[in-house]
Amino acid sequence: MAEQAFEAALAQGAETFVLTYSGGKDSTATAVLTLEWWKRRGKPVEVHVVYADTRLEIPTLHAQALGFLEAVKGLHPEIGVHIAKPLPEESFWVQLIGKGYPPPHNRFRWCTKRLKIAPMDRLVQSLPGKKAILTGVRFGESDARDSRLLLSCSRGGECGQGVLFQEAKRLNALYVAPIAFWRECFVWDYLNLVAPTLGYPTGALEGVYGGRDTRFGCWTCTVVRRDRAMARALENGHAHLRPLYEFREWLWSWTRGPETRVKRKDGKPGRLTLEARREVYRRLKEVEERVGVKLMTPEEEALIRESWGSNINGGPWTR
């Protein structure tokens, strides 16, 4: 039934299929399902796989994602494989350490648009023709996700036939969620039992999750109180990642103290003080040494120092 989504997209005039890939179970299942249909169907459209690399992905999942992309290149040389990254001036560390943005939280989740949506939009807009953007979104992932999906239906999305289908005029694209009504056990069975027989390295993905109920995000994510995905990774033989986990825990709690924030005119906390930003930078450099991985690029560090020296970023944050 999910493959009806692809036929519907063709009927609506889609000339290019864009697979938005995160490395997680749902986007991986969607990618395999789409590519195998495309091959059987006689390759009727141009296909591109786009991976949004925030440069903050949990390392175990990041490695799995890159391995999957390499496999796709080998199995389907005609397919475009792209990695979308945020602009250096929009990166997480430049915003946080350079400009003093407070760590993201539910009322000010500034990270998603800059790190994922904008890079994806730029890349999608560069691709030819009318596009069908295929996502791995599913009902049942969370109450918040279900509410957004139901809202899409009420605004004209066609759901109830095994797919979710909606048009986005801004990108001249159709949004298609072919596994919107798959149960989680279907996803895992497909990845563990079907995809590996077709040549895709998905059999180890459940081990990367360390439990089927794990939800992945950035290792720096301060929107959640506790990073269960990283905690699971530590429990499952990845003790070398502990400095990342400890840094996130420290950042979550320390930046909530009023002494780390500039006070706005209305008395509410604003951006991080310059002293606080310097302390975050110092601790992050320590983490780099302990893990043996560069977490900031030289360009990002230069932009951070430029922000520190700018009067623009000396005043209180206005949000």
Side-chain angles (χ1 to χ4, degrees), residues 127-290:
L127 298 175
K130 185 171 184 178
K131 294 164 279 286
I133 300 174
L134 290 95
T135 78
V137 65
R138 286 188 306 109
F139 281 98
E141 292 182 84
S142 68
D143 290 343
R145 177 64 59 82
D146 285 358
S147 296
R148 289 195 293 272
L149 287 174
L150 290 169
L151 182 62
S152 294
C153 290
S154 69
R155 289 178 174 172
E158 297 176 15
C159 56
Q161 299 300 316
V163 303
L164 186 75
F165 197 82
Q166 189 179 20
E167 187 164 4
K169 294 181 180 179
R170 179 175 59 87
L171 293 174
N172 185 31
L174 307 168
Y175 272 104
V176 184
I179 66 168
F181 291 86
W182 280 27
R183 293 169 57 183
E184 186 174 353
C185 57
F186 295 170
V187 174
W188 283 119
D189 284 350
Y190 190 75
L191 294 175
N192 290 332
L193 304 176
V194 179
T197 68
L198 301 170
Y200 300 92
T202 60
L205 188 56
E206 189 171 351
V208 172
Y209 268 67
R212 292 192 172 191
D213 60 340
T214 304
R215 289 184 61 81
F216 278 97
C218 298
W219 69 264
T220 56
C221 185
T222 49
V223 175
V224 296
R225 172 61 189 90
R226 184 169 182 266
D227 188 347
R228 291 183 174 84
M230 278 292 282
R232 287 276 178 84
L234 297 179
E235 293 168 2
N236 287 282
H238 299 285
H240 63 288
L241 300 178
R242 182 166 293 280
L244 302 181
Y245 179 79
E246 291 174 346
F247 177 87
R248 191 216 79 97
E249 293 289 288
W250 168 80
L251 184 67
W252 187 92
S253 60
W254 185 69
T255 53
R256 275 160 171 72
E259 67 278 2
T260 65
R261 307 281 287 277
V262 174
K263 185 181 291 186
R264 299 185 339 191
K265 291 181 180 179
D266 60 7
K268 295 180 180 179
R271 69 174 70 245
L272 296 176
T273 66
L274 183 56
E275 293 76 15
R277 289 180 251 169
R278 291 184 184 277
E279 179 62 13
V280 175
Y281 176 83
R282 185 186 69 79
R283 295 229 183 187
L284 188 63
K285 295 301 287 184
E286 288 181 353
V287 172
E288 285 188 335
E289 291 184 12
R290 291 173 64 190

